[in-house]
Amino acid sequence: MIRAAILGTGFHVPEQIVTNQDMTKWMDTSDEWITQRSGIQERRWVTIGTDGKATETGAEMGAKAAAQAMAQAGVEPAEIDLVIYATLNPDCFFPGNGVFVEDLLGLKTAGAMDIRNQCSGFVYGLAAADGFIRAGTARTILVIGGEIQSTALNVTTEGREMAVLFGDGAGAVVVQAAEGQRGILASVLHSQGRFAKDLWLEAPTALVPERINADLIAAGRHYPTMDGKLVFKHATRRFCEAIKEVLEKGGATVDEVDLLVPHQANQRITEAVGKRMGLPADRVFSNIARYGNTTAATIPIALSEAAAAGRLKSGDLVVTVAFGSGFTWGANLIRW
Ligand code: COA
């Protein structure tokens, strides 16, 4: 049986570390508030150069992560059939970041598509890669999750609820057709659009001439906003539902799960989900303290770090699960 196996992982984060203490220079907040509410101690943000632009692009970060994953997998650029790039922050309105990665890595006209599914983008991306591989449309796929969020944030007291949570970075995996037990066993995907505006970024928008105007900017509608408590409540519930559903679909039980790799939204969400699922802390991965919420990048960064730390061994049963803006959520069950 052909399955879509993850053969390599990689990640890249900007050099600049922004601590909770740094946040207190720009807004009314405290290290204690941020750590207690979210578990975040620091995050990486791109550096803004003297020309007023980020010194690295999102696609460049994604390409660096992908190059590591390819080296680990022993895969050459000419072998990549498709790039799936999950991001809510493409470097430009169009085209998506995937095509820039095709160029940066010299992928010889490999297909490229972006997925706009915010925090669950990588889970959707893995599910898509699995489908393409099983259908024979592609044999080797790069799935990348990457974000530059810092440039979208309102870094003042007004925007503090969002600003302290988010970080920049990219992670990637190489997924390849393989025979045997190893690979993605099942995926589940969901959305509920009635909550779209409870966690969103309205502008720039195709609905107004010029895409952005002074009124939108004056009203702060070019900043992301959310109903934090509502998101928290739904996330905790949907994470658990998706884990149960994907395990059932893949014919496995929670006792068999070696590592749960949840989207890193909030340490309290991660702990609540682990507890509700009856998983001890050593079987639930967390690195939110160092990177914050990097949206589509949290899971591939976590997979990279977990693999490097020896926490993902051949044959392990792994669940990835995410929830975010849309609302969208989903999970993958993977035999490592
Ligand atoms: N520093 C200090 N105070 C802050 C703050 C900050 N960075 N951000 C918000 N506050 C204030 C609020 O203004 C509010 O003040 P008020 O009570 O005077 O109105 C108060 O803190 C709210 O505190 P609390 O009720 O304890 O917050 P919370 O437990 O709901 O935690 C979040 C807030 C944002 C951390 C939490 O709701 C959350 O993580 N939600 C999910 C967010 C998420 O994951 N989004 C991404 C999607 S995956």
Side-chain angles (χ1 to χ4, degrees), residues 44 90 100 206 309:
R44 302 298 184 101
F100 294 109

Side-chain angles (χ1 to χ4, degrees), residues 207-280:
L207 303 184
V208 302
E210 315 286 343
R211 305 285 158 102
I212 189 85
N213 59 38
D215 289 344
L216 285 169
I217 293 176
R221 282 151 72 183
H222 59 307
Y223 293 127
T225 57
M226 71 172 174
D227 179 340
K229 281 193 198 304
L230 183 86
V231 172
F232 192 100
K233 199 178 84 190
H234 281 260
T236 314
R237 179 175 144 213
R238 297 305 193 183
F239 268 66
C240 295
E241 284 177 5
I243 295 166
K244 285 183 200 154
E245 191 186 350
V246 85
L247 285 170
E248 200 178 307
K249 199 169 172 185
T253 64
V254 75
D255 298 338
E256 296 172 75
V257 174
D258 295 291
L259 195 64
L260 174 69
V261 182
H263 164 53
Q264 308 286 303
N266 184 314
Q267 184 60 19
R268 287 188 299 145
I269 296 179
T270 298
E271 284 171 12
V273 170
K275 200 167 156 204
R276 278 197 208 174
M277 298 308 301
L279 283 166

Side-chain angles (χ1 to χ4, degrees), residues 114-179:
D114 273 34
I115 294 195
R116 300 285 302 274
N117 274 70
Q118 303 69 252
C119 295
S120 57
F122 187 79
V123 165
Y124 270 73
L126 274 189
D130 183 35
F132 282 126
I133 285 172
R134 286 187 203 234
T137 310
R139 187 170 176 275
T140 308
I141 301 179
L142 269 177
V143 185
I144 303 170
E147 310 283 0
I148 293 181
Q149 333 224 53
S150 52
T151 51
L153 299 169
N154 179 357
V155 188
T156 68
T157 298
E158 206 185 345
R160 65 184 177 176
E161 192 180 9
M162 295 291 279
V164 300
L165 297 179
F166 292 93
D168 303 339
V173 298
V174 171
V175 188
Q176 194 172 63
E179 295 221 17

Side-chain angles (χ1 to χ4, degrees), residues 24-146:
T24 65
K25 293 183 257 173
W26 308 313
M27 62 188 77
D28 179 13
T29 190
S30 66
D31 176 37
E32 193 193 5
W33 193 96
I34 302 168
T35 309
Q36 274 182 6
R37 301 305 198 291
S38 70
I40 298 164
Q41 287 165 15
E42 59 188 42
R43 71 288 289 143
R44 302 298 184 101
W45 281 5
V46 289
T47 303
I48 302 301
T50 46
D51 62 354
K53 283 177 100 170
T55 53
E56 56 187 334
T57 69
E60 283 165 357
M61 292 201 302
K64 283 182 186 160
Q68 279 175 29
M70 287 165 65
Q72 203 181 85
V75 160
E76 295 298 322
E79 291 175 73
I80 302 292
D81 300 312
L82 180 65
V83 179
I84 299 178
Y85 201 119
T87 187
L88 70 85
N89 294 292
D91 292 334
C92 51
F93 213 93
F94 75 85
N97 279 3
V99 297
F100 294 109
V101 170
E102 187 282 328
D103 185 43
L104 286 164
L105 295 180
L107 298 183
K108 318 272 183 213
T109 77
M113 59 190 273
D114 273 34
I115 294 195
R116 300 285 302 274
N117 274 70
Q118 303 69 252
C119 295
S120 57
F122 187 79
V123 165
Y124 270 73
L126 274 189
D130 183 35
F132 282 126
I133 285 172
R134 286 187 203 234
T137 310
R139 187 170 176 275
T140 308
I141 301 179
L142 269 177
V143 185
I144 303 170

